[in-house]
Amino acid sequence: MILDNRGLEPPQPMMRTLDALESLPAGEILSIINDRRPMFLYEQLDEKGYKHKTSEREDGSYLIEITK
């Protein structure tokens, strides 16, 4: 599943991401694209035990791959 959060103001990207993770089956990957690094989201993901990997894209946005 891919969720494009570009152009949204905080806290919308984090809320959309957490909502999407609720319905994501275990073992699946949610890929999100954000305008900036989601520093507060990382804390939430770590607390819930999700694995995540962040990479900067050529356009300056960030791709975060979250494994449930």
Side-chain angles (χ1 to χ4, degrees), residues 5-11 13 32-39 41-42 54 60-64:
N5 290 325
R6 290 176 290 184
L8 299 175
E9 291 297 319
I32 63 170
I33 304 170
N34 282 12
D35 291 320
R36 56 185 79 73
R37 283 186 188 271
M39 302 311 289
L41 176 63
Y42 295 141
T54 301
S61 64
Y62 291 88
L63 172 67
I64 301 93

Side-chain angles (χ1 to χ4, degrees), residues 11-53:
Q12 288 300 320
M14 184 167 81
M15 294 175 70
R16 288 184 74 212
T17 300
L18 293 174
D19 285 345
L21 283 169
E22 290 291 321
S23 62
L24 191 72
E28 294 293 316
I29 296 174
L30 172 64
S31 298
I32 63 170
I33 304 170
N34 282 12
D35 291 320
R36 56 185 79 73
R37 283 186 188 271
M39 302 311 289
F40 296 111
L41 176 63
Y42 295 141
E43 294 173 21
Q44 294 285 325
L45 297 175
D46 291 340
E47 284 178 18
K48 295 177 185 277
Y50 298 133
K51 295 177 183 163
H52 52 88
K53 180 179 119 178

